[in-house]
Amino acid sequence: MSVNFIALAYLVAAVFFILSLKGLSSPTTARRGNLLGMLGMGIAVSTTLTITGNWVLILSCIAVGAVIGSIIAFRIQMTAMPELIAFMHSLVGLAAVFIAIAAVNNPVSFDLPEILPAGNKLELFIGTFIGAMTWSGSVIAFLKLSGRMSGRPIVFSGQHMLNLLMAVVMIGFGLWFFFSETTNWTAFSTMTAIAFLLGFLIIIPIGGADMPVVISMLNSYSGWAAAGIGFSLGNPMLIIAGSLVGSSGAILSYIMCKAMNRPFLSVILGGFGSDGGSQGVNDDGVQKTYRSGSADDAAFLLGNADSVIIIPGYGLAVARAQHAVKELALALHKKGINIRFAIHPVAGRMPGHMNVLLAEAEIPYEMVQEMEEINSDFPNTDVVLVLGANDVVNPAANIPGSPIYGMPILEAYKARTVMVVKRSMAAGYAGLDNDLFYMDKTMMVFGDAKKVVEDMVKAL
């Protein structure tokens, strides 16, 4: 295949990737965006196969990966999607590291000079350390999101200084590799090992409430790692695709940090802090009281309301209650009740988690509103139904000194009546107690979200 045709095919694939990102920017066009992205990747892979003679090995590896990916896709629950995405990010970073190691070991096989030029060394250095940090950081994110590791920040004295020192040493070995006249494996391998360790240390002090930002940030890292390796290999498709992933992930991270009123650097340097709120206990040790009710009580309040706002959270995802919630919304809508869904930017465990769940249940998108659109409506709302959400409705965000002080929240506490469906009074992912649960206007309904909502529908 001619060089011009390869360049044209890669350009077409890049256009499909850009259109895919545009489609993924809205739930109403996300399905089309996914199809365009798959088509673009199909063109890119097919074009790459035409410039290599080792079809059997490549297609065999693709087949193995496709089988593993298909099995995981069929078995994975929606609640496990965040940790799956974190794990996939780790594989992208690890792939970048392996490619860099292969290029350093045998440059000729990548059409590079036997003695690597300075420019290629710099590109391999950047792609390697970003990829290594992406892999190890994503592993920690996976462990925290899957519950195999505590979601609380892991901090120790001098942590940030240690991270800074390791970063400086890593760059120092990278420069040694860069300025060496021959391939300096000592410098390259040491730099890579430090990068792997630094990825662990950067992510462990980040608390659970910051995990959605971490996921988008690691997504960005994986893109930049791929782009860096693309420059070394002279592959424009890898550069374009990596840059699109890197820039979109960075933009999403910025948007989410802004939504949380959190400086991006602050998130990277330690999360919401290490102080966890005591569950259901005042600072003076006195047990706080709350009001509880049944699904029938909740249905009575909902059925007699003129306006209802439903706030979905991670508990809804765990219970797989999105379809039951759709039935509830339709039942209320038939009664002439103004029903809407309020989505916080960091609800759940990954960006857009709640949007994905509601879209899966085919809840009309016009019923779904973002925090900025709906917050002003809470004072005029009869009933707010909180389904498994915690930190995103916590009024502690308005209290100076709180670990989440300044974080914009869905202002459910301003509604006339609040109903919260939870399994227990346990604190949220940030480890903080929620004063909303103890307000006179709040009624707690304990139980599995799906079962409770189904009972509400029956009562209605």
Side-chain angles (χ1 to χ4, degrees), residues 294-305 419 456 459-460:
S294 66
D296 288 346
D297 297 329
F300 176 79
L301 292 172
L302 289 170
N304 287 278
M419 295 186 297
M456 288 182 187
L460 284 169

Side-chain angles (χ1 to χ4, degrees), residues 221-236:
Y221 284 178
S222 66
W224 295 125
I229 298 301
F231 278 107
S232 296
L233 304 183
N235 189 311

Side-chain angles (χ1 to χ4, degrees), residues 348-365:
R349 297 290 190 269
M350 68 177 184
H353 197 177
M354 295 302 106
N355 300 79
V356 171
L357 288 176
L358 298 183
E360 182 191 17
E362 297 184 345
I363 291 173
Y365 188 60

Side-chain angles (χ1 to χ4, degrees), residues 88-103:
M88 293 302 180
H89 290 166
S90 73
L91 296 180
V92 176
L94 193 61
V97 174
F98 284 154
I99 293 173
I101 292 174

Side-chain angles (χ1 to χ4, degrees), residues 117-194:
N120 291 120
K121 285 185 177 180
L122 178 62
E123 292 155 2
L124 290 170
F125 160 58
I126 294 174
T128 301
F129 86 76
I130 294 178
M133 291 173 61
T134 300
W135 179 82
S136 51
S138 297
V139 168
I140 295 297
F142 167 79
L143 293 175
K144 287 195 173 191
L145 289 166
S146 61
R148 293 174 172 86
M149 182 177 181
S150 172
R152 291 180 177 272
I154 300 175
V155 296
F156 53 86
S157 179
Q159 188 170 29
H160 298 326
M161 187 58 67
L162 175 62
N163 290 346
L164 178 61
L165 179 61
M166 290 185 64
V168 171
V169 172
M170 179 189 72
I171 293 173
F173 277 100
L175 292 175
W176 185 18
F177 168 72
F178 175 74
F179 286 111
S180 298
E181 294 183 1
T182 58
T183 302
N184 190 330
W185 276 106
T186 300
F188 183 80
S189 57
T190 304
M191 176 270 296
T192 305
I194 294 175

Side-chain angles (χ1 to χ4, degrees), residues 16-30:
F16 277 117
F17 288 152
I18 295 171
L19 293 175
S20 173
L21 285 177
K22 180 176 175 58
L24 292 171
S25 64
S26 170
T28 57
T29 58

